[in-house]
């Protein structure tokens, strides 16, 4: 039995453009088979019990298998003029969807997993940053995050101290804002939308809204894909595959404040699909 | 009875400053050799966020986790957390170590409280490790000259001559791994081919 709190959330299930172009996507959501297809000009998601609630945003199709507890979260920056929306495609990862999100919120791994790109020794220190669960939106936010990066983005030349903000607006989605190398007054926005196929298998859709008019689309995609494949080599080798929510199984430090808040938030809201509750 | 000491690899396959995956009765281990040559076997799980330590990297006499670079010293105690360079990690952050000895060119592992040493393999030289998708019964069925349970021994025909071999058995989820040794002086290439042939025959038998 999957908890109603889990069923009443929104999950990404397809790229809208692919479905509009006539493709059918036969896939899975929370362990159940679903089909995403075009019917009479509308995108329809069908499960064993009939049609699911559907909405379209950020180029993706989102489905809710229960009764939506709230509308899908907004990303206001996605609508700003001058930004390029880049979808990177889908990456299948053998891990809990929650582990995929948590890894996305983590900066301490940059020097070791994205060596010489998003981080490099000896610049490994994670300075104190601020984390809160925002009452109004019920989202996890981390702000005032800074990190030294050798090549922060495809458009960056040389090392810079990058500023970050992280946001968890849904159990299996996260968005980050980072210093934009070509426009210091603006933030690049990068997200991951994670489709929980089952508790320990997911499809991850990286997504970007950038101020970058010069880098070819293919290079932007290749850059982000390289980053994500490096993350996948980690995600598929964490034990256990589920995300432990009970303290004691893993040892966080101050650098993990975002992850700690994310785990608490999941637990408090009963969003435990993909989580391990009791230490094994 | 389950043996305490299990062969998890051959010394020749673990160079200095390298980590590899091993296991003891279904327990995953990170087996690594330090820069000076010392081999250790630890629980294959970093206490921080559960990453496999067998994917980590060796620096000097320490093993570091590939995810966030936490550094573990010879006794499995965390010595350094790169995200907090000024912090001395509490001694409670440690990886459980297994007993690990190198003997006769074989890397043996056992639970930490194990007393005594693995069986000595006099007059034998390490040959190679090979994984099979069948069980021990299939191996014994195709090579009746072998006998034993966790070490299959016997005189077999290699290149027209009777040669002593010893196959150390390590069970895993997909079947088993055999760590093969043969008598000193036997042609290693011919012996290696014999091992491959044995695998083919045993797997065919196992699938039948
Ligand atoms: S999981 Fe090993 S250092 Fe973080
Ligand atoms: Fe990463």
């Amino acid at each position: 039995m999957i908890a109603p709190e889990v069923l009443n959330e929104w999950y990404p299930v397809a790229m809208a453009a692919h479905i509009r172009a006539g493709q059918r996507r036969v896939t899975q959501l929370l362990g159940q088979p679903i089909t995403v297809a075009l019917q009479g000009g509308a995108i329809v998601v069908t499960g064993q019990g009939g049609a699911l609630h559907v909405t379209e945003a950020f180029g993706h199709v989102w489905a809710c298998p229960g009764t939506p507890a709230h509308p899908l979260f907004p990303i206001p920056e996605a609508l700003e003029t001058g930004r390029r929306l880049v979808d990177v495609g889908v990456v299948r990862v053998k891990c809990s969807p929650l582990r995929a999100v948590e890894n996305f919120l983590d900066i301490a791994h940059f020097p070791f997993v994205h060596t010489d790109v998003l981080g490099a020794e000896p610049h490994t220190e994670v300075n104190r940053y601020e984390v809160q669960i925002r009452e109004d939106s019920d989202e996890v936010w981390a702000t005032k995050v800074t990190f030294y990066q050798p090549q922060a983005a495809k458009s960056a030349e040389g090392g810079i101290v990058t500023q970050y903000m992280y946001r968890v607006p849904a159990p299996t989605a996260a968005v980050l804002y980072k210093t934009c190398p070509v426009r210091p007054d603006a933030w690049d926005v990068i997200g991951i939308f994670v489709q929980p196929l089952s508790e320990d298998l997911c499809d991850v859709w990286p997504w970007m809204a950038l101020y970058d008019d010069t880098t070819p689309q293919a290079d932007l995609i290749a850059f982000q894909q390289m980053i994500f494949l490096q993350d996948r080599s980690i995600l598929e080798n964490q034990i256990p595959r589920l995300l432990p929510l009970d303290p004691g199984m893993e040892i966080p430090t101050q650098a993990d404040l975002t992850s700690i808040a994310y785990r608490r938030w999941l637990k408090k809201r009963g969003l435990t699909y993909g989580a391990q509750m009791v230490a094994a | 009875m389950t043996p305490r000491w299990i062969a998890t690899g051959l010394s020749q396959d673990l160079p200095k400053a390298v980590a590899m995956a091993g296991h003891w009765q279904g327990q995953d281990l990170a087996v690594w050799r330090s820069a000076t040559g010392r081999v250790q076997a630890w629980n294959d799980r970093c206490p921080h966020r559960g990453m496999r330590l067998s994917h980590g990297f060796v620096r000097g006499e320490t093993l570091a986790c590939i995810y966030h670079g936490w550094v573990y010293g010879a006794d499995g105690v965390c010595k350094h957390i790169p995200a907090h360079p000024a912090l001395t990690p509490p001694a409670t952050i440690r990886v459980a170590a297994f007993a690990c000895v190198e003997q006769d060119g074989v890397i043996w592992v056992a639970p930490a409280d194990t007393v005594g040493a693995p069986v000595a393999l006099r007059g034998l030289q390490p040959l190679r490790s090979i994984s099979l998708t069948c069980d021990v019964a299939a191996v014994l069925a195709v090579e009746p000259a072998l006998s034993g349970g966790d070490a299959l021994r016997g005189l077999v025909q290699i290149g027209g001559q009777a040669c002593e071999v010893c196959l150390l058995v390590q069970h895993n989820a997909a079947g088993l791994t055999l760590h093969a040794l043969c008598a000193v002086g036997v042609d290693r290439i011919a012996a290696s081919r014999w091992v491959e042939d044995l695998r083919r025959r045993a797997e065919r038998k196992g699938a039948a």
Side-chain angles (χ1 to χ4, degrees), chain B residues 2-9 14 20-32 39-43 97-103 106-114 116-118 170 179:
Chain B
T2 307
R4 298 281 291 182
W5 290 102
I6 302 276
T8 196
L14 184 62
M20 68 177 198
H23 54 93
W24 184 90
Q25 309 284 10
Q27 159 82 57
D28 289 332
L29 300 174
V31 183
W32 62 283
V39 178
Q40 300 187 64
W42 295 350
N43 190 358
F98 267 58
C100 180
V101 300
E102 253 184 312
Q103 189 177 287
V106 177
I107 299 169
W108 298 89
V109 288
D113 57 355
T114 302
Q170 185 183 26
H179 305 286

Side-chain angles (χ1 to χ4, degrees), chain A residues 86-93 113-114 117-118 154 190 192 204-208 217-233:
Chain A
V86 184
D87 75 76
V88 181
V90 66
V91 186
R92 167 86 35 110
V93 190
V113 179
H114 311 299
V117 181
L118 299 185
K154 195 67 206 172
I190 300 176
I192 53 162
V204 179
W205 320 77
W207 173 92
M208 301 187 278
Q217 183 94 345
D219 290 6
L220 290 173
I221 292 173
F223 182 80
Q224 206 55 35
Q225 255 174 0
M226 169 193 75
I227 299 291
F228 198 76
L229 292 178
Q230 290 170 338
D231 285 318
R232 184 169 73 173
S233 71

Side-chain angles (χ1 to χ4, degrees), chain A residues 98-112:
Chain A
L98 308 179
R99 284 237 191 239
V101 169
E102 185 176 85
N103 169 72
F104 185 80
L105 305 173
D106 180 84
I107 47 176
H109 73 283
F110 289 170
F112 303 99

Side-chain angles (χ1 to χ4, degrees), chain B residues 22-184:
Chain B
H23 54 93
W24 184 90
Q25 309 284 10
Q27 159 82 57
D28 289 332
L29 300 174
V31 183
W32 62 283
R33 189 188 296 281
S34 75
T36 60
R38 181 169 169 220
V39 178
Q40 300 187 64
W42 295 350
N43 190 358
D44 195 10
R45 183 176 182 279
C46 177
H48 177 220
R49 285 291 182 241
M51 181 64 195
R52 285 187 185 277
L53 285 170
S54 54
H55 291 239
F57 53 97
V58 177
R59 275 186 190 159
E61 302 305 298
T62 64
L63 177 65
C65 176
I66 191 65
Y67 197 177
H68 308 96
W70 289 22
V71 177
Y72 298 91
D75 41 6
V77 172
C78 182
K79 294 172 58 161
H80 182 63
I81 296 177
H84 308 296
L87 179 91
T88 305
T92 47
I93 306 182
R94 76 184 298 157
V95 187
F98 267 58
C100 180
V101 300
E102 253 184 312
Q103 189 177 287
D104 306 311
V106 177
I107 299 169
W108 298 89
V109 288
D113 57 355
T114 302
V115 287
V119 56
L121 304 166
R122 275 183 254 290
L124 296 169
Q125 59 175 337
L127 195 57
R128 63 181 293 183
S129 299
I130 194 163
S131 292
L132 288 74
T133 55
C134 60
D135 59 8
V136 170
V139 178
L140 294 176
V142 297
E143 196 58 72
L146 294 174
S147 63
D150 37 84
L152 313 179
R153 305 185 71 146
L155 281 174
V156 300
Q157 289 295 318
I158 296 176
Q161 289 188 1
C163 301
E164 190 191 354
V165 295
C166 173
L167 308 172
L168 302 170
V169 178
Q170 185 183 26
H171 295 275
N172 57 44
L176 40 94
T177 301
L178 297 177
H179 305 286
L181 296 89
C182 64
V184 175

